[in-house]
Each structure stands twice: as C-alpha cells, then as structure tokens.
Amino acid sequence: MSKLWVIKYEKESIDVVEDAHVYLILMMKGLVEGKPVDSRTYTVLNGKSLTKESLFPLMATGNWFDGRVILDNVSPAGVDHVLRLRGSVVVNMPQA
C-alpha cells in the first residue's frame, strides 16, 4: 500500500515525508497549534525504501500516543488499517 502511494505522489510531482527530522518538525508544529499529528494513525517514514524482496520489511513509523511522540518500527501487517503516507513539498527559503 505504501509503495502505491509513493508512485501516486511521484506522478503528481509530490515528495513524501521520508525521515524522522521532517516528521518531528511537523509534529512540533502540530503541538504548538494544539493539534498533534497522528493521534489515530501512523505515518510511514521509509515508504520509498520498502521492498517486497525484504525478508521482514519493517516500516519506520511515527505517531502520537499517550501524550508523547513515538518513533518506532512495525510490521506492515500490524497497522495497515491506520497507515498513512504524508506528502511533502520542498520550499526554498531565501537566505537573509
């Protein structure tokens, strides 16, 4: 499912959140606004690098649970109904 979303986003020229740094910034923004991200879902943090050929393809994930940010790895079969792949748009900011 994750790989299909990566392909869909690529066709739309949209990148995906692919690492913990970007995810944690997104989570900090949500906390400042009082709206933590992923309180009922998991964001896949390695969607581009997953392969069917892997013996046991663990997914890196992030979510909000019990008042804290959780970065973890999970089996795709265990959380498939609450997975999401977040689109990411890169913005170049001019140097001041």
Side-chain angles (χ1 to χ4, degrees), residues 21-79:
H21 294 102
V22 172
Y23 183 77
L24 291 173
I25 291 168
L26 175 65
M27 186 61 82
M28 286 187 283
K29 180 181 182 298
L31 292 173
V32 166
E33 295 172 351
K35 301 174 187 175
V37 177
D38 290 330
S39 59
R40 296 183 180 159
T41 57
Y42 291 78
T43 292
V44 178
L45 301 177
N46 63 336
K48 287 183 181 178
S49 60
L50 292 173
T51 65
K52 284 185 177 183
E53 291 76 33
S54 299
L55 179 60
F56 190 63
L58 289 177
M59 294 184 311
T61 61
N63 73 310
W64 176 258
F65 179 75
D66 201 22
R68 59 193 168 145
V69 177
I70 306 292
L71 297 176
D72 202 358
N73 59 59
V74 297
S75 166
V79 293

Side-chain angles (χ1 to χ4, degrees), residues 74-91:
V74 297
S75 166
V79 293
D80 62 347
H81 62 288
V82 292
L83 285 179
R84 69 180 306 134
L85 198 68
R86 292 189 179 277
S88 176
V89 178
V90 177
V91 177

